[in-house]
Amino acid sequence: MASPISVQLYTLRTEMAEHREATLTRLAQLGYTAVEPFDPLDDPEGFRRTADRLGLTVTSSHAYALLDAAVEPVAVYDAIAALGTDLAIIPAGFEHAEFTHLDGLRRTADRLNSLAAQAARHGIRLGYHNHWWEVAPRLDDWHALEVLAELLDPGVFLEVDTYWAAVAGADVPALLRSLGPRVLALHVKDGPGVHGQANTAVGRGVMPVADILAAAPDAWRIVELDSCDGDVYEALAHSHALLTALEHA
């Protein structure tokens, strides 16, 4: 089983901006032993020192800046290495329409493959994270994300956002089985399954969490709440407890 359970820090973006050390300390107190940053360029050395002191592993990092022409890619790769991980994930940045036809998917794959080759020269593996727009379009009964996966070089991995995939209409366990070992990480989240409504703690919404985990048993489990109506720390605590129980069931 994949371990430890991680949390995407975008969940706590406001708290992180106000007091990073206190936020990471609170996560450690909740039982989390891993985190996934969303901005590797934000003082990676200082982040790593705090994470190390708290016993937090950096599982991976989102790296939207790799698509920013104003940012030197080597600075991003150096920052990711400084965080203590070798996994960089593109969390969006392509036009939604590119996922509605084969030519667009080929262009997207070419860009990701090029970035992956560049990243590999710096000891970094590149991945891609989906939202709804990569899953909702269908090409010959295949989700666009499945077609994209076939066009990607073998070294490019996927971080599947299971909730966005469900909102887009996918049978998430079936999608994960289709994508197979390409899936290195999961964003595990829950909620009403309705676009635009807030997330809940994992296990308090409509997602078939146990079936999803079983469909990708070796992938990192990374909790994320894009938004939360209640207390976010309580939701994170419940999510951690549920995932821990499922992993040991």
Side-chain angles (χ1 to χ4, degrees):
M1 291 293 183
S3 182
I5 299 166
S6 185
V7 59
Q8 164 54 242
L9 293 175
Y10 184 78
T11 302
L12 297 163
R13 54 199 176 276
T14 301
E15 293 81 357
M16 288 290 291
E18 292 173 351
H19 202 309
R20 182 177 67 189
E21 184 166 350
T23 302
L24 294 175
T25 298
R26 185 79 179 272
L27 283 175
Q29 291 169 344
L30 292 179
Y32 285 94
T33 54
V35 291
E36 181 181 60
F38 61 91
D39 182 6
L41 295 173
D42 183 13
D43 184 26
E45 291 84 4
F47 186 103
R48 174 73 179 276
R49 286 193 295 272
T50 300
D52 284 350
R53 182 176 59 78
L54 294 170
L56 294 171
T57 299
V58 176
T59 53
S60 47
S61 177
H62 282 193
Y64 183 83
L66 287 173
L67 297 179
D68 187 343
V71 176
E72 281 292 331
V74 67
V76 181
Y77 301 134
D78 287 347
I80 288 169
L83 288 171
T85 182
D86 63 353
L87 303 180
I89 299 167
I90 303 293
F94 298 95
E95 294 292 336
H96 297 187
E98 291 287 76
F99 296 91
T100 63
H101 53 87
L102 187 56
D103 285 345
L105 288 167
R106 285 174 174 151
R107 284 191 292 268
T108 302
D110 287 347
R111 183 74 189 281
L112 290 171
N113 290 338
S114 176
L115 284 169
Q118 181 187 69
R121 293 193 291 272
H122 296 273
I124 301 294
R125 289 189 63 190
L126 190 82
Y128 186 75
H129 170 92
N130 68 280
H131 292 77
W132 63 267
W133 56 84
E134 301 95 340
V135 178
R138 302 293 290 262
L139 288 82
D140 296 327
D141 290 330
W142 296 94
H143 292 286
L145 185 64
E146 294 174 282
V147 179
L148 177 66
E150 291 298 314
L151 297 169
L152 292 172
D153 288 341
V156 182
F157 67 91
L158 295 176
E159 177 180 73
V160 175
D161 189 305
T162 59
Y163 189 74
W164 278 121
V167 169
D171 176 333
V172 180
L175 176 64
L176 292 173
R177 288 191 292 269
S178 171
L179 295 170
R182 176 81 70 171
V183 180
L184 211 63
L186 303 176
H187 268 200
V188 184
K189 58 176 74 168
D190 214 333
V194 179
H195 195 182
Q197 294 190 17
N199 292 124
T200 66
V202 177
R204 289 180 175 165
V206 301
M207 298 294 287
V209 180
D211 292 342
I212 287 169
L213 299 185
D218 297 322
W220 284 104
R221 281 78 162 105
I222 303 173
V223 176
E224 182 184 37
L225 290 85
D226 293 317
S227 60
C228 180
D229 283 338
D231 183 86
V232 68
Y233 285 110
E234 191 280 331
L236 286 170
H238 181 89
S239 300
H240 187 275
L242 178 75
L243 291 177
T244 299
L246 287 174
E247 295 287 9
H248 294 92

